[in-house]
Amino acid sequence: VSGLNFSTTDIRVGDYVYNTTRAAVAQVSAIATALTVTSVAAQTAGDSLTLLKSAMPIANFAHVHFNRLYLLDARDLRKVRISGANDPQDFSTDGATLDPISFNFDLESAGNHLVAIGSFQRFLVMAGRRAIYVYQGTTPIGDDADLTIIGSFPMGLVSRYGLLDIGNDLLFLSDDGLQSLRLIIDANAVQRANLAEPVRTTMRDLIKMTAEIDLRLTHYARRSWALCKLGTEIYVFNYAISLIDTENPVGGSWSRFTGPFAQQQVYLTRADGNLICGGLDGRVFEFDQGTYLDDGAAIPTTYK
């Protein structure tokens, strides 16, 4: 199938082409300037074709908020496709077409694009590369739509793995280190604080030189830790060691790991609270077993 640069279209491997002349269906197997499909008997140049694609969005990121599935559109990172209520497969419920079921983030911040979507208590968080937006409401579209913005912060998210809800705070990794969003007294607005002030310069330099896949946040509630993986180092924010101030976000302490523990690829806190990490040499580890060694090696420690 030629005559059109298919690499610039929405069609994807796995979509279907219906040859109406032959009453036969073929499946797309490769996409370039020309389109390669499975064989159709007796197909010749000049046959009429209908190209069919799935109504499900091609998603770059998925998040569920109040029984709706929010999908970041991989073809346009300024748009979020939203499912019908209580039905993650229905993207045409409220408007009978795809377009009314989309949230155009670009209207809120021209030139920005979304990196991740999250929830913070009852709020929906749209995390862009240049700014963070916080919305209240549960119905984003339709005649009874109630999604309204309650806060925006000109500090963007550097990684899709860098958004973390730890209960009282929503943490996110920015170009300027670890940031916190917290409800203020009337519980109807949020404020931002830079938690990384003691290590701000070091974190900022590491973030600039680290690939997105190696910028990750993980919550280890057993020790009140927010782990910030920055390449081959982990900066741990201990939010339990704090100076409590009823009007401002709490402070905390910082630790840094540089050994094998910090060089893992993935970190997961299981339902029982155990922290699992793995990736280095194909091994999987369980953290915090009381031995205070790192894969058998002592952990040199410096206090400042």
Side-chain angles (χ1 to χ4, degrees):
V1 183
S2 60
L4 174 69
N5 184 359
F6 284 95
S7 66
T8 63
T9 69
D10 288 347
I11 198 163
R12 293 291 186 272
V13 170
D15 287 344
Y16 292 94
V17 177
Y18 178 52
N19 186 321
T20 57
T21 304
R22 309 294 166 188
V25 174
Q27 191 169 33
V28 177
S29 59
I31 301 168
T33 302
L35 193 66
T36 304
V37 301
T38 53
S39 177
V40 171
Q43 180 169 274
T44 62
D47 283 3
S48 296
L49 305 175
T50 300
L51 288 85
L52 308 173
K53 69 171 186 172
S54 171
M56 285 293 289
I58 300 172
N60 179 278
F61 191 93
H63 179 71
V64 174
H65 181 75
F66 281 94
N67 300 319
R68 289 181 187 262
L69 178 62
Y70 290 71
L71 297 178
L72 177 54
D73 194 326
R75 294 162 296 185
D76 186 348
L77 296 179
R78 300 166 300 172
K79 291 185 177 180
V80 176
R81 308 296 184 178
I82 308 169
S83 79
N86 301 305
D87 190 349
Q89 297 187 79
D90 191 348
F91 280 80
S92 60
T93 298
D94 296 287
T97 63
L98 288 178
D99 283 343
I101 311 300
S102 67
F103 178 90
N104 193 336
F105 183 77
D106 191 50
L107 296 176
E108 301 292 345
S109 181
N112 200 357
H113 69 272
L114 281 168
V115 178
I117 309 167
S119 295
F120 174 47
Q121 299 190 16
R122 70 179 187 277
F123 302 107
L124 177 68
V125 179
M126 298 286 190
R129 184 60 186 88
R130 297 180 183 175
I132 304 291
Y133 292 87
V134 181
Y135 296 84
Q136 67 177 352
T138 60
T139 306
I141 45 185
D143 295 336
D144 56 347
D146 62 356
L147 199 65
T148 57
I149 189 167
I150 65 163
S152 61
F153 307 92
M155 188 72 70
L157 186 68
V158 296
S159 168
R160 69 171 66 188
Y161 314 107
L163 197 63
L164 183 66
D165 184 357
I166 63 171
N168 290 330
D169 293 79
L170 179 72
L171 308 184
F172 66 96
L173 274 178
S174 73
D175 290 304
D176 207 30
L178 186 65
Q179 309 289 322
S180 168
L181 297 181
R182 160 168 285 214
L183 292 176
I184 56 179
I185 295 174
D186 64 4
N188 203 35
V190 292
Q191 63 182 3
R192 182 188 63 84
N194 190 338
L195 301 179
E197 199 61 43
V199 290
R200 178 179 180 182
T201 302
T202 304
M203 287 189 72
R204 185 166 51 192
D205 292 343
L206 276 173
I207 288 170
K208 287 180 181 178
M209 59 188 292
T210 303
E212 178 183 352
I213 195 171
D214 290 321
L215 297 172
R216 295 174 177 264
L217 291 183
T218 305
H219 186 204
Y220 185 33
R222 180 175 294 165
R223 283 182 171 261
S224 303
W225 281 3
L227 289 79
C228 308
K229 176 177 168 61
L230 309 178
T232 58
E233 299 183 16
I234 288 183
Y235 283 76
V236 176
F237 179 68
N238 188 332
Y239 55 85
I241 301 176
S242 61
L243 300 174
I244 300 298
D245 185 329
T246 56
E247 295 184 359
N248 297 294
V250 300
S253 70
W254 282 95
S255 303
R256 180 172 69 115
F257 287 87
T258 57
F261 171 57
Q263 296 163 19
Q264 306 303 306
Q265 295 299 311
V266 291
Y267 300 83
L268 170 70
T269 302
R270 302 183 66 183
D272 61 5
N274 291 339
L275 177 64
I276 307 297
C277 57
L280 187 65
D281 297 327
R283 298 181 181 181
V284 178
F285 297 94
E286 186 171 359
F287 184 75
D288 203 8
Q289 294 305 297
T291 59
Y292 304 105
L293 299 173
D294 197 348
D295 192 21
I299 304 173
T301 304
T302 302
Y303 292 93
K304 293 185 179 181

